[in-house]
Structure formats: structure tokens, C-alpha cells
Amino acid sequence: MDFLQFSAGTLISLLSLLLLLSTCSGLYEDQIKKFDWRSVHVGSLKHVYVDLNHFQPRVLLSTHEQVIGSLCPKTGEIIWRQVLEKKPRGDIKLLQVSGFADDSSDTAAAPMGSHLGFDMMTVQGHAPALVRGWNTNIGTIEWEWSIMPLNTERAQDAVWFYSNSVLYHVVPAWRSHIEVTSYFATSGHTTGSTSKIMAAWINPESCLLSGSFYVCLDGKQLISLDLLAKSTQVIATPLGSEPSSKIQDLPGLNGALIVDKKLVSVNKDQAVCPDLSSDSFIVGSFNRRKVIAYADLINNMLNINAVYLDDCSPVPELHLSVAFADHYGSPSLRSFDCKSNRNSDGKNCLFLLSTSAESIVAVQQGRVRWAREESLANVIDTQFLDLPLADSEGTLENEMKGKAVDSNNLKRDIATAFMRRITTQALQIKSLFLHVIGLGPPPTDTQRAGLVRDSFGLHKMLVLLTRSGKIFGIDNITGKHHWKLYLPNVAGFENSEQMRLIVQRSSKHFPLQPLCAIVAKSVENGNGVLFRFNPITGQAAEGGLLQLNYKIKQLALLPETEEDYVKGVLILDGANKVHVEPKHATPLAHGMYLYTADLKTAELEGYYVKYAGGELSALPIWNVRLGGHNSEQQIISVASKNPIEHVHSQGRVLGDRSVLYKYINPNLVAFVTQAPDATHKSVLNMYLIDVVSGSVIFSMTHRKVRAPLHIVHSENWLAYSYFNDKVRRTEITTIELYEGSAQANNSVWSSLQAPSMPLVERQSYIIPTIVEAMRETITERGITNKHVLIGTASGGIVEMPWHLLDPRRPISSTTQGREEGAIPYIPELPLPTENYINYNQTVARLRNIYTAPSGLESTCLVVATGLDIFVTRVAPSKTFDLLKEDFDYILISIVLVVLTSGSLIVRHLASRKLLKQAWK
């Protein structure tokens, strides 16, 4: 009996193991990172501490992207990283490292094996405020406590400081008083009651916390309070003149501030060196004495100097002069530390700087030791550019262009074409011979860097535009940074619009170089800025930076080009005047249509661009107000179709072999509005509007739903995700538009003579995850099936086939549905692990997904951006136009040789047989 029980248990275990093995799916080991790569970042610096004297030297930091982490001081690589909650819950108010407090009596270091004290402490959020203690060796939380303020609105402006193992919570009530509450740092227990300090002079524009001093600027003086003093008194510190910039605190010195590049102390017990003048200061130690280090950028040279705090005498050992590249931007010294167990010659000191381009730069021993490009954590636009042709291919391209011109002009000269071909091939043979013997022309910079177009168009230049105004040219195969550019003093537009990266001329017009443009707003005067550059080399082109004398309201690319193949940028300014850059393309703007959308008022306006008398004008032709009767609706999303999209199939074959023609309107734009509702909490409206005629083609209302909303618009379909408040889940609604069984015009679409309203198919699905981004795949000719890439909150990217999102999925299995290939409707969308295109390469804080076609019709290039960057390629219909990796070339070659030889032998034998028969 025991043997039978044992046998049965063993059999069940074996069956379970076999079942698990049969359901496992994954990626082959040799395919990992073969067609993809990931770049990991932490974001722009907020707090940082360099500690070289720890048993494990480290750089501890927090960033504006709600990330804390540790970097290796030697290489800058991430040792560990923790991505905290999103704002406002994850907003880091304070980062305190044991041993780095302003007060020398700090004794908060955690003993080995004890949960008392802390190695590093963070304070984040305000309602509630979370206080956490961290293990800096492995990045784990040791302890945590929280507080919920009584007044959550006032707590948004709260600040924190730490002193003598006590954490102080400072809540200002503007133009009234300051509330200070103290807590034991590791336990969260209050040390006493909340003290209220009357201060009617505080205001949010000019106040800050410096150590334990709350300081405000009032004209030509600083007014401050010592929050730790037994008797509170107002301290007035006169200044020579009213500062021209905001005051800043100096971490490491209690009550010290930076005012107009000078050091000022409001603490009578804290002396500073008032004669110093610099762009940035930091406090550290050298030879066991406190020093003030400061850095200045002069003629692309970074000069770092230091003085002893006690007597303001210079420290020559810490003097450094380093060449500083333009693409880093303006530097700011954030922290430094020196090894204490070596010679005091300054060579063992590491200086850490942050820059206006959101880079982290480490300087040591008179050179830049390493740099991290953290602006890539905030990518706002991307473009894939074809690489230039090789010399031989470029010559052939010119020849084919010449033939095309001759054919179009009907002046075909066979002799000239033949001589051109012979000359081209002779030059190619000569070039090959010279290259073999080593006398050929040297390769260009792009060829030396391997930037040459491949046969399948998979190797491209990935151009990334970041929030700080920094531009990158990255190899999409290897992830190598080929060039970097930085545009200072630029920002996004009004209406929450980001800067734009535009391709004015692609790489297809050999020998002309490609041309890209950055359209942004100047921080200084609010006018438009246009910067044109070569995306392959990163060099300025066509005059480089152009400062416009007007504000940009709307822009678009002209569809036609002149002989230089440059697409002009059509710009509508704040006064509704029309401009074109470059100027010579102005006549091409005649007949264009523009529209503008005000997000707050939900008002749309359409314009017709007319060219007459050598000038352009914008004529208003329609106006649509989506705000509702009480104007509460606000636009939260606008989605138009991809301008480079090609529609391969004009219709859909039904089960009865008839054709249902797609409603393919290239001027159709989706607008989504949202407003609060007394009955349904929140109402979301979706409108499909023809932006040429202003006609509302379709609209739909969702009640008890709210953002986050993500939308995809392509061909004749639309898909958008939202959060359903009623059932607490994320849903995706899909819509398809059809003209019917007859097509109004199968050659040219005209919005002014549009067909009747389309037939609309709609359906909703449940997706068991939070959606962070959506994008459709796109290919060269549109033959490949469309898939929707869905970015999830966990950092995964799911490739969802459209047949699962198809709104025509029948409720039950029918003959017609089976004939169409439609899957029966099931509300839940599956998320199988094999559909995650980034397997375990998660993208933290995923925000956007961008797609671009490759030279292969089957393959689509993908880049996902967020805190990290992930680049890969997908094949929605598999690689039907490409041989497999394990294709047996040897076998097929042998078969071809055998077949060719056999055919020749059989031919010879057959001819001999015929000859013999003829002699008979």
C-alpha cells in the first residue's frame, strides 16, 4: 500500500513537472540583447554625497525623477537604484547621509546588526510624508514611518531639516506664521508639541531653508529666524544692493547663503568668506579642515579652486583646470570628497558636478573621469534617420537618378547611358584596386565610424531630443553616442506642448545631406527658436540657430519640396500671421490647412493658408467648441495619423466575399475631453473631427471614467485606454470606420467633398494592467499586419495583435466570423509572457513608445523612453522577407550545384541521343 501511494505521488509530481515544462516560454539565450539594447539612468541631480572614505566608496544621490541610488566613484556605473513613487508622493524633500549633517554632533550612524539609527535617510511626499532609513550597501529599506498633516494644502510647501538625531518638519503659512514639529528620526515619535512662530513677512517667492535658519529676501536685506533657538528673534542681515537673482542655500554650513555669486551668513556663529565670487560653491573637508570649493567656466575651461573656511586661505592642492565640452552646458559644483589615508596632494579628490544639460560629471586629477547623460531620462521626441550610402552605392544612385531624369524628359540617349555605365564601373574598379594596394582615398568620418547604410535598412541613426534641450545621435544597433548637441535657454511651448524634432530632408536624396530642425521657445523672450543641423554628423547646417521675432502658435511641414528636397516649416504666430522657413519655400504653402486647439477652453479653429501678392495669410474657415454648455470640458489628448503611414488594403473582405471599404480620411484627428460631473464624477468625450472642413465625424461619451488616457490613431481605426472608476480597472475601447460596400472615390480623398458619415464599429476590452503608453507598428508599405505596442506600469511592453482588439469580433462563433478570421469576443485581453518584446529589460517610468519603418517590410523599429531607454525591432507578421538565422546555406548550395550539373549532363546526353537518331 505504501509502495502504491509512493508510486502515485511520484507519478503526480512527474506529470506536474511535464505540464510546467510544456507551458514554459521564453527567449533563447543567444537571442538576448542581439537585436536590442537598454540604457539605464537615474535622472537629473537633486541631492548628492560623495563618500570616498567608506569601506565601499560610493556616490549617494537623489534625483528630480524620484530616484535614489548609488554610483561607483571610479566609473559612474549604477551600483543600485530604487525608483520611488511618482509625484507628489515620491517627491524627495530631504536626503540625509549619516556623517554629513551640518552639526558635527551627528551620531545617527546605525551600528552593525542594529535597526537603530540610519545609514541614509529620505523624506518624501507631504500627504502623507514618508520617512525611510536605507541600507546604502544594497539599497534596501531598513525602517519606515509616516505622518499625515492636518492641512494637506499647506503641507505642499513644507520643508525638512535634520539635527542631532532629530528631524524637524517646517510648515509655512504664507504671510502668517511658521509651524515647527520635531520627531525622533528613527522612530517617528514627537519630541514635544508643535511650536508656532509668527512671521507675517514670509512669502513663497523669496524664502528658503538654510540649515536651521528660515530665510527670506526683503528688498536689500535678508530676514531670518533660527528655528532651533530657545528664544525666537528676527535676524536682519543687510545687503549692499537688491539681488538680481534668487538666493540659494549652501549645504554644509548652517545659515550660509549664496547671494549674487557671493557668500552671506545669517548665522553669527558661522563665518564665511565674503570676498569669494563664483557661480557655484560647495563645502567639504581636506586635511581634516573644512574648505569651500568653487567652480567657474571660462572659455570652455572649468576652473576649480578652494579655500579653507577658518582663515579663507587658498588650497593650492585642490586647484584644477579641465577642458569642458560645450554639450555639457553650464556646470554647478555639487559635492566632493578626498581620500584621507593617502598623500594630501589633491589627486585623490573627486569633484562631482551637475550641469544645465542634466549631465552628471566627475572630475579627478585634472580630467573628466566619467560623465553620465541623465538628460536621456527625459526624452520628448525621437526620429530614425537612414544612414548615408557607401561611395559605390552613391555613384550608382546618381546614375539611376540620371536615367530617371532622361526617361521623364523623353530624351533618352542610349549611347550616353552606356558610356555613363562604363565610366561608373571603370571608376569603381579603379577605386577597388587603389583600396587594395593602400592608395585609395581615406574613409570619411561617417564611414570610419561605421555609419553606412546596410542592405535591409535596419541600421539607422537614432536622434533623441531631451527636455533640457540636449540632442543625441545614437547608433540604433549598438547604442553608441556618435555626437551630442546642447541648445541652452530653450523650452517647450504654451498649452503643454513640448519642443519638436522635425526631419526636413531625409537621407534618400544623395549626394545632399539630411537635414533636421528643432523648433522650440526661447526662455529669454518667449519667441520661437529654429535650429537646423545634420543628423548624421551633428553639425549645424543651413545657418544653424535662427532666432525668430515672433511667438509660435502652430506649425506644420509643407508636403511639397523644391529642387533641394527641403520641406519647409509652416509656422502660425501669436497674431495669426503665417511664416515659412526657409523663405524660398513660401509659395509652396498656398492651399494648406491649419488648425489650433486650446486645451483649457477646448476650442478648435481652422485656417486656410493663402498666398497672394508675395505674402501669406491665414483665413479662419471654421470654429468648433467642445467645452460644453458650462465650458468645463478640457482637452486631455489629441491624436492624428502618422504622416508617413501607407495604407495597403482599401477594404476588408467579408464572409460572403463582398468588400467593406475602409473610411480612410487623412485629415481625421481625434480629440478627447474630460470634465467633472456631479452625477458620474467624471465624463470623458471622444470626438473625431475633420480638421480641413471642421466636420464632427463621430463622437462618443464615457461616464465614470478618467485619465490616464492613451490613444492610437491609424488607418481607419482608433484605440484608446482609460481607467474605469465604476469597476476600478483599465479598459481599452477600439473603433473602426467604414464607408460601406461602395467607395465614393478610390483615387483622391477630398474633405470638402467627403462621402456620407461612416459606419462605426466599436468594442471595449479589459486589460489586466495599468497602461502607460500606446503606439502602433508601422512598416514601409503597410503590407504587414498592424500590432499595438502597449507599455505597462511594470515597465513591460506588450505586442498586442490587432485581431485581438478588433471591434468586429463576434459575440458568438458564427460562419461569417470564421470566414473573416475574426476571433469570438472575450472581454479580457490576454497578456502572455512571450508577447513582452523587452522580456526582462524593464523600462522604469515608461512614458512614450516611438516606431519607425525599416528597409524590410516585415520589420518595425521601436524605441521606448522613460527613465530608461529600450531599443529593439519587431516583426508583426514574422520575417517573411528574410531568411532565418539557421538557414542551411551549404545544403541549398549543394542542391543547386547538383541540379545544375545534372541538367548539363542530361542536356549533353540528350543531344548525343538526338544525333545518333539522326544518323540512322
Side-chain angles (χ1 to χ4, degrees):
M1 191 69 177
D2 294 339
F3 175 74
L4 291 176
Q5 291 178 352
F6 175 76
S7 301
T10 305
L11 182 60
I12 293 174
S13 301
L14 289 174
L15 289 175
S16 302
L17 181 60
L18 290 174
L19 182 63
L20 289 174
L21 289 175
S22 63
T23 58
C24 286
S25 59
L27 202 68
Y28 288 109
E29 186 178 359
D30 60 345
Q31 292 179 318
I32 295 176
K33 296 186 178 180
K34 186 172 184 178
F35 305 116
D36 58 77
W37 54 268
R38 184 179 66 156
S39 177
V40 183
H41 309 100
V42 294
S44 59
L45 274 183
K46 190 171 187 178
H47 309 97
V48 62
Y49 295 93
V50 178
D51 188 0
L52 301 182
N53 296 297
H54 194 262
F55 73 92
Q56 180 184 346
R58 69 267 174 94
V59 177
L60 302 175
L61 53 84
S62 69
T63 68
H64 291 277
E65 281 68 41
Q66 301 86 55
V67 175
I68 63 171
S70 176
L71 305 181
C72 175
K74 295 182 178 180
T75 62
E77 295 179 353
I78 299 176
I79 299 175
W80 58 264
R81 180 187 71 169
Q82 291 290 351
V83 181
L84 306 181
E85 298 85 348
K86 291 184 178 180
K87 282 187 176 180
R89 185 180 177 89
D91 188 20
I92 301 174
K93 304 283 189 178
L94 175 69
L95 176 72
Q96 183 63 51
V97 178
S98 180
F100 283 85
D102 295 346
D103 197 326
S104 60
S105 59
D106 172 33
T107 57
M112 187 66 67
S114 171
H115 293 288
L116 300 176
F118 61 87
D119 196 6
M120 182 178 74
M121 179 179 64
T122 60
V123 181
Q124 63 184 74
H126 64 277
L130 298 175
V131 183
R132 290 169 171 168
W134 299 84
N135 183 327
T136 58
N137 296 325
I138 56 177
T140 57
I141 297 178
E142 297 286 343
W143 48 263
E144 177 186 81
W145 55 270
S146 63
I147 61 167
M148 176 62 75
L150 298 177
N151 191 325
T152 57
E153 293 183 1
R154 191 184 299 168
Q156 294 180 2
D157 302 315
V159 289
W160 298 74
F161 71 94
Y162 170 84
S163 179
N164 289 334
S165 302
V166 177
L167 195 60
Y168 295 88
H169 187 205
V170 182
V171 181
W174 301 120
R175 297 175 178 85
S176 176
H177 62 275
I178 301 174
E179 297 177 0
V180 182
T181 308
S182 57
Y183 303 90
F184 289 109
T186 56
S187 64
H189 298 148
T190 59
T191 61
S193 61
T194 301
S195 60
K196 180 184 290 187
I197 304 173
M198 302 306 297
W201 37 268
I202 62 174
N203 60 82
E205 292 81 17
S206 60
C207 292
L208 55 78
L209 185 69
S210 176
S212 62
F213 285 81
Y214 201 83
V215 187
C216 292
L217 175 64
D218 184 16
K220 298 182 179 181
Q221 64 177 349
L222 296 174
I223 302 178
S224 58
L225 289 171
D226 187 358
L227 303 180
L228 295 183
K230 295 181 180 180
S231 59
T232 304
Q233 60 178 359
V234 177
I235 304 171
T237 305
L239 303 174
S241 59
E242 187 172 350
S244 58
S245 59
K246 287 187 176 181
I247 59 176
Q248 306 174 40
D249 68 310
L250 180 60
L253 293 183
N254 190 17
L257 298 99
I258 305 173
V259 182
D260 279 347
K261 300 184 179 182
K262 296 283 188 178
L263 294 180
V264 178
S265 177
V266 297
N267 182 4
K268 64 179 181 179
D269 297 327
Q270 180 62 68
V272 295
C273 300
D275 296 332
L276 296 179
S277 178
S278 177
D279 295 325
S280 62
F281 296 89
I282 197 67
V283 177
S285 61
F286 182 71
N287 289 340
R288 299 185 179 180
R289 296 172 64 184
K290 271 196 174 184
V291 299
I292 298 178
Y294 53 97
D296 297 285
L297 185 65
I298 303 174
N299 297 328
N300 290 340
M301 294 298 295
L302 177 65
N303 297 318
I304 300 177
N305 296 280
V307 296
Y308 288 111
L309 181 60
D310 48 12
D311 58 2
C312 297
S313 60
V315 187
E317 295 87 352
L318 297 184
H319 171 71
L320 290 176
S321 184
V322 183
F324 208 72
D326 289 333
H327 62 78
Y328 288 135
S330 302
S332 175
L333 193 58
R334 302 300 300 272
S335 181
F336 84 95
D337 194 21
C338 302
K339 278 281 189 179
S340 59
N341 57 349
R342 295 187 180 180
N343 297 328
S344 301
D345 54 3
K347 293 182 179 180
N348 54 353
C349 298
L350 180 70
F351 295 87
L352 204 69
L353 303 98
S354 64
T355 70
S356 57
E358 297 185 356
S359 300
I360 303 176
V361 183
V363 176
Q364 189 176 34
Q365 297 182 1
R367 62 183 179 89
V368 175
R369 180 152 190 173
W370 51 263
R372 293 187 58 87
E373 299 295 349
E374 294 303 329
S375 60
L376 290 172
N378 293 285
V379 175
I380 58 176
D381 206 353
T382 69
Q383 291 288 350
F384 284 93
L385 272 298
D386 288 323
L387 295 174
L389 295 168
D391 293 338
S392 57
E393 295 177 351
T395 307
L396 183 61
E397 182 80 9
N398 279 338
E399 180 186 350
M400 299 305 295
K401 283 186 177 180
K403 286 185 177 182
V405 172
D406 291 342
S407 177
N408 293 334
N409 295 334
L410 299 178
K411 296 179 180 179
R412 184 95 182 217
D413 188 349
I414 297 177
T416 303
F418 179 73
M419 291 303 298
R420 186 187 298 115
R421 171 58 65 90
I422 294 298
T423 304
T424 301
Q425 292 183 347
L427 291 175
Q428 290 178 354
I429 294 173
K430 177 183 175 181
S431 177
L432 178 62
F433 176 73
L434 293 176
H435 179 72
V436 170
I437 65 176
L439 298 178
T444 61
D445 293 338
T446 55
Q447 291 174 348
R448 193 179 296 109
L451 297 178
V452 178
R453 192 181 308 176
D454 61 329
S455 302
F456 298 132
L458 298 172
H459 191 191
K460 292 179 182 285
M461 177 67 76
L462 175 59
V463 182
L464 299 176
L465 173 63
T466 64
R467 181 187 61 186
S468 63
K470 195 163 186 177
I471 317 161
F472 294 84
I474 302 178
D475 192 315
N476 78 311
I477 299 294
T478 63
K480 178 183 177 182
H481 295 191
H482 287 286
W483 54 264
K484 305 166 190 175
L485 288 174
Y486 175 59
L487 298 179
N489 301 321
V490 295
F493 303 99
E494 305 295 335
N495 223 359
S496 302
E497 285 290 331
Q498 298 285 0
M499 294 181 283
R500 292 284 300 277
L501 172 61
I502 296 175
V503 179
Q504 290 191 274
R505 181 172 60 208
S506 65
S507 304
K508 298 179 180 180
H509 307 289
F510 186 87
L512 298 176
Q513 294 294 319
L515 182 66
C516 283
I518 302 294
V519 186
K521 182 186 74 173
S522 173
V523 174
E524 299 174 351
N525 52 26
N527 290 339
V529 174
L530 185 66
F531 177 72
R532 287 171 286 195
F533 63 98
N534 185 332
I536 305 300
T537 63
Q539 297 177 353
E542 303 291 334
L545 187 65
L546 177 62
Q547 296 282 353
L548 307 177
N549 57 0
Y550 49 84
K551 293 178 171 59
I552 297 178
K553 185 178 181 181
Q554 181 63 288
L555 60 92
L557 269 180
L558 297 181
E560 299 179 0
T561 65
E562 292 188 339
E563 294 181 356
D564 58 358
Y565 299 103
V566 174
K567 289 186 177 182
V569 182
L570 180 65
I571 301 175
L572 182 70
D573 65 14
N576 289 342
K577 293 182 179 180
V578 185
H579 311 267
V580 174
E581 294 293 340
K583 302 293 185 183
H584 62 77
T586 300
L588 301 178
H590 179 70
M592 283 279 292
Y593 290 86
L594 283 175
Y595 78 93
T596 61
D598 192 317
L599 300 185
K600 294 182 179 179
T601 62
E603 184 173 354
L604 312 178
E605 293 183 354
Y607 300 90
Y608 174 75
V609 179
K610 183 179 180 180
Y611 180 75
E615 293 183 356
L616 289 172
S617 59
L619 306 178
I621 55 175
W622 57 267
N623 180 278
V624 176
R625 297 181 179 178
L626 306 177
H629 66 280
N630 52 4
S631 299
E632 289 185 350
Q633 296 282 342
Q634 291 187 353
I635 297 176
I636 60 174
S637 183
V638 179
S640 58
K641 298 179 182 179
N642 196 324
I644 64 173
E645 179 181 65
H646 291 273
V647 181
H648 176 69
S649 177
Q650 297 291 325
R652 177 170 182 166
V653 181
L654 303 181
D656 57 0
R657 296 300 183 266
S658 63
V659 177
L660 187 62
Y661 289 98
K662 298 177 181 178
Y663 182 84
I664 303 174
N665 184 350
N667 306 315
L668 200 63
V669 178
F671 298 89
V672 182
T673 64
Q674 184 179 10
D677 186 84
T679 305
H680 305 291
K681 292 185 180 180
S682 177
V683 174
L684 187 144
N685 296 319
M686 192 281 297
Y687 303 90
L688 291 176
I689 298 178
D690 189 313
V691 294
V692 170
S693 63
S695 303
V696 179
I697 305 300
F698 177 73
S699 65
M700 189 163 60
T701 300
H702 300 270
R703 295 175 176 85
K704 293 186 178 180
V705 301
R706 58 178 173 86
L709 182 131
H710 305 280
I711 188 167
V712 172
H713 192 188
S714 176
E715 293 190 0
N716 69 317
W717 55 267
L718 187 78
Y720 55 96
S721 67
Y722 50 84
F723 185 78
N724 192 322
D725 258 335
K726 182 178 180 180
V727 289
R728 302 286 181 178
R729 67 190 182 199
T730 301
E731 297 178 353
I732 294 181
T733 295
T734 58
I735 298 172
E736 278 189 333
L737 308 177
Y738 294 95
E739 286 191 41
S741 58
Q743 207 169 11
N745 192 331
N746 58 4
S747 58
V748 179
W749 176 273
S750 175
S751 293
L752 303 179
Q753 298 177 353
S756 57
M757 290 299 176
L759 306 175
V760 180
E761 300 280 354
R762 68 191 93 172
Q763 192 58 270
S764 294
Y765 298 92
I766 303 168
I767 183 167
T769 185
I770 299 175
V771 177
E772 295 290 348
M774 293 177 66
R775 184 74 66 172
E776 82 281 9
T777 59
I778 184 171
T779 55
E780 190 76 21
R781 299 296 177 186
I783 301 174
T784 305
N785 293 333
K786 287 279 187 179
H787 285 190
V788 178
L789 302 178
I790 302 175
T792 65
S794 60
I797 304 171
V798 182
E799 186 178 4
M800 184 70 65
W802 177 250
H803 66 264
L804 292 178
L805 297 170
D806 190 354
R808 287 180 56 83
R809 289 176 61 178
I811 299 299
S812 60
S813 180
T814 61
T815 303
Q816 183 175 356
R818 287 194 295 270
E819 290 289 336
E820 290 185 34
I823 304 174
Y825 174 73
I826 300 176
E828 294 84 5
L829 291 172
L831 297 179
T833 54
E834 60 267 21
N835 282 19
Y836 282 82
I837 63 175
N838 59 335
Y839 47 104
N840 65 346
Q841 303 294 304
T842 56
V843 182
R845 294 278 168 76
L846 179 62
R847 284 188 293 269
N848 289 302
I849 301 174
Y850 302 92
T851 57
S854 67
L856 291 173
E857 171 57 30
S858 64
T859 306
C860 172
L861 304 178
V862 180
V863 54
T865 63
L867 187 63
D868 305 329
I869 295 177
F870 179 75
V871 178
T872 187
R873 62 179 78 159
V874 295
S877 299
K878 307 302 180 182
T879 53
F880 57 83
D881 51 0
L882 192 66
L883 294 176
K884 294 183 178 180
E885 297 177 12
D886 57 352
F887 184 80
D888 199 337
Y889 293 94
I890 298 177
L891 178 61
I892 195 66
S893 300
I894 293 173
V895 171
L896 288 175
V897 170
V898 170
L899 289 176
T900 304
S901 303
S903 63
L904 293 175
I905 294 171
V906 170
R907 179 182 178 183
H908 178 68
L909 295 176
S911 62
R912 290 184 60 183
K913 181 179 180 181
L914 291 175
L915 183 62
K916 290 180 179 180
Q917 289 178 353
W919 280 101
K920 289 181 179 180

